[in-house]
Amino acid sequence: MRKLLLFMLTLILFSTILAVEIDLDESIKLARINNKEIQAAKYSLKSANWGKFDAFTNFLPRASFNSVIVRIDDDSFEMANAPIQIPEFGLEFPAMFPIYRTTYSNNITIQQPLFNGGKVILGYQLASLAKQQIEIALENKELDTSYAVASTYFGYLKLKDIQELTQKSLSSSISHLKKVEKNFEVGTAKKSDVLQWKVKLNNDKTSNYEVENGLTEILSFWKSLIGVGDKIPAKIQLEKYNTEIDNYTALNENEINVLKQEFLKKVEMNSPTLSSIDLVNKMMKKSYCMAKGNFLPSVNLQFDYQIESDDEFDFSGDDNWSLAAAISVPIFTSGSNFFKMKQAKYDLLKVEKQTEYAGENYLVAAENIFARLITNARIVKDNQLAVELAKENHKIINELYEQGMVTNSELLDAETMMFGSEMNLIASYYDFILTKFEMKKYTH
């Protein structure tokens, strides 16, 4: 059993050494390459591009070669080719329009649409807007994937930093428990002191175990996102954000409002989501115009060139051609065109209200995320002060405890406060960093 445990620990250590650290940018790059949803969205974009080409072909002529073979029955053939007789005068004339028993007809037809109520133009414009919509959907998918990678990346680093604290707390609890047990043996400590440190030690062990499990889970999810199994997130220096945090916390209300308005303007100009909302409105307006086009006439040209029409398939028969201009004016469709136009009109009004509401909510969400950034910066600043005070308090209480001037419970409380403050500080740092990254979704 001991050999098996040693082998497993060696295997874990070996795999950790082999794992290569990568930064956030590299993680996002790998995720965008390997993510199957992004790959599917790229195929959708290619499909939409070909759909746009297909819509453009409606402006161009269409040519087709047609070949027809017709064979008639014997009675019809004999009747059609029977000579014309005039019995009173004893005269007989051959059939004026003889036909073949089997007729081979070959012709080429060319059709050119000139005007179809604007449907061809509107159809091409809709295909172009659909392509733009898929481009924006792809961009949003990439942003969502990037945020998912970032949240797991920072989540893993946060747990790693917390793990260091839990291990420090665990080591401290072990050390204090040994001291208290020795003091209890010589009669300078109470049984309750020993029990308190045992409880804290057990809690530290549980916390450390929970953090280890959390690290395993979040790392496996992060690896699944980037599509690579031999990488781990590279550690970052939290202190490099201190200057930025100080700048945010030093802002007054007027300065915050100015920065917020600048951020919202960037959102309005660059947000893929707002661009997508605008495209939906444009597409519905095109659909409404297309419905109104059902009341307009359509004009088409058709050219037919008959290569042959005789009893042998040899392309040597008499040829002829014809050119036709067809104009179709809808007069009465039982109200169908009117009903479709009304339906399209109210669909447009519905979508305008829905997108207006969605746009307003989106800007509110953007405003809230900016406010959260300021709040998180202030929380970091407050937690920095709390850690300083908790460390100073722990130092004082520890010195007094060594002199026998404070109780074991007070030392325990001071230590719990110090480690709790340090964990809160770490969590607030990563909350600030992740909020900064989330803001990129609104302005990319």
Side-chain angles (χ1 to χ4, degrees), residues 83-93:
I84 300 174
Q85 297 180 350
I86 305 178
E88 293 82 357
F89 298 97
L91 299 176
E92 183 177 281
F93 301 96

Side-chain angles (χ1 to χ4, degrees), residues 79-261:
M79 184 180 299
N81 291 281
I84 300 174
Q85 297 180 350
I86 305 178
E88 293 82 357
F89 298 97
L91 299 176
E92 183 177 281
F93 301 96
M96 295 183 63
F97 303 103
I99 62 175
Y100 305 117
R101 183 185 299 278
T102 302
T103 303
Y104 300 89
S105 298
N106 296 290
N107 72 298
I108 294 175
T109 300
I110 300 175
Q111 296 175 325
Q112 174 62 59
L114 298 180
F115 180 74
N116 287 285
K119 292 181 180 179
V120 174
I121 297 174
L122 292 169
Y124 177 75
Q125 291 174 342
L126 278 171
S128 180
L129 292 174
K131 179 187 174 184
Q132 294 178 42
Q133 193 174 43
I134 292 177
E135 288 174 341
I136 292 173
L138 172 59
E139 186 178 3
N140 270 324
K141 177 54 65 178
E142 289 177 339
L143 289 174
D144 289 341
T145 301
S146 299
Y147 180 73
V149 172
S151 63
T152 52
Y153 184 96
F154 293 132
Y156 174 83
L157 294 182
K158 180 172 73 173
L159 283 179
K160 285 292 290 183
D161 288 345
I162 290 176
Q163 184 185 42
E164 292 181 7
L165 285 177
T166 57
Q167 289 174 347
K168 281 176 58 179
S169 179
L170 180 63
S171 299
S172 177
S173 297
I174 293 172
S175 176
H176 280 96
L177 178 59
K178 289 180 179 179
K179 290 180 180 180
V180 171
E181 285 178 335
K182 288 181 179 179
N183 291 337
F184 176 71
E185 290 175 359
V186 297
T188 57
K190 297 179 291 185
K191 180 67 174 178
S192 60
D193 295 342
V194 176
L195 294 176
Q196 285 176 345
W197 283 107
K198 283 186 176 181
V199 170
K200 185 177 185 302
L201 176 61
N202 188 66
N203 290 337
D204 288 342
K205 287 180 179 179
T206 302
S207 298
N208 197 57
Y209 180 74
E210 289 176 347
V211 171
E212 287 177 354
N213 282 343
L215 282 170
T216 302
E217 292 176 5
I218 200 168
L219 183 61
S220 62
F221 183 61
W222 177 77
K223 289 179 178 180
S224 175
L225 284 172
I226 67 173
V228 178
D230 60 345
K231 311 290 184 184
I232 59 173
K235 191 175 179 62
I236 62 174
Q237 296 298 322
L238 298 178
E239 293 76 14
K240 71 178 184 179
Y241 293 95
N242 284 341
T243 301
E244 190 175 1
I245 289 170
D246 291 341
N247 291 337
Y248 279 122
T249 54
L251 295 173
N252 57 40
E253 290 301 319
N254 290 332
E255 291 171 332
I256 290 174
N257 286 330
V258 170
L259 287 178
K260 180 174 67 176
Q261 293 306 318

Side-chain angles (χ1 to χ4, degrees), residues 246-370:
D246 291 341
N247 291 337
Y248 279 122
T249 54
L251 295 173
N252 57 40
E253 290 301 319
N254 290 332
E255 291 171 332
I256 290 174
N257 286 330
V258 170
L259 287 178
K260 180 174 67 176
Q261 293 306 318
E262 290 177 356
F263 171 68
L264 292 177
K265 285 181 181 179
K266 289 181 181 179
V267 172
E268 291 176 350
M269 293 176 59
N270 303 319
S271 169
T273 299
L274 292 181
S275 297
S276 179
I277 289 173
D278 183 54
L279 277 177
V280 170
N281 280 323
K282 289 181 179 179
M283 293 177 75
M284 290 304 300
K285 289 177 181 177
K286 298 296 181 184
S287 297
Y288 180 48
C289 290
M290 189 176 288
K292 291 193 289 186
N294 291 327
F295 293 95
L296 300 177
S298 60
V299 182
N300 297 282
L301 285 179
Q302 179 167 315
F303 172 79
D304 285 293
Y305 175 65
Q306 183 169 290
I307 301 173
E308 70 165 353
S309 181
D310 57 16
D311 60 341
E312 294 183 3
F313 191 84
D314 54 10
F315 298 98
S316 61
D318 295 334
D319 61 342
N320 60 78
W321 61 270
S322 64
L323 179 65
I327 300 177
S328 176
V329 181
I331 297 176
F332 180 69
T333 59
S334 299
S336 176
N337 289 347
F338 178 77
F339 299 147
K340 288 178 180 177
M341 183 190 70
K342 283 294 186 181
Q343 183 182 13
K345 175 183 177 181
Y346 287 108
D347 284 342
L348 172 61
L349 293 174
K350 179 189 72 173
V351 169
E352 285 179 342
K353 291 298 181 183
Q354 289 176 337
T355 52
E356 181 182 357
Y357 179 70
E360 291 173 353
N361 285 344
Y362 188 80
L363 289 175
V364 169
E367 186 175 353
N368 290 339
I369 196 71
F370 181 83

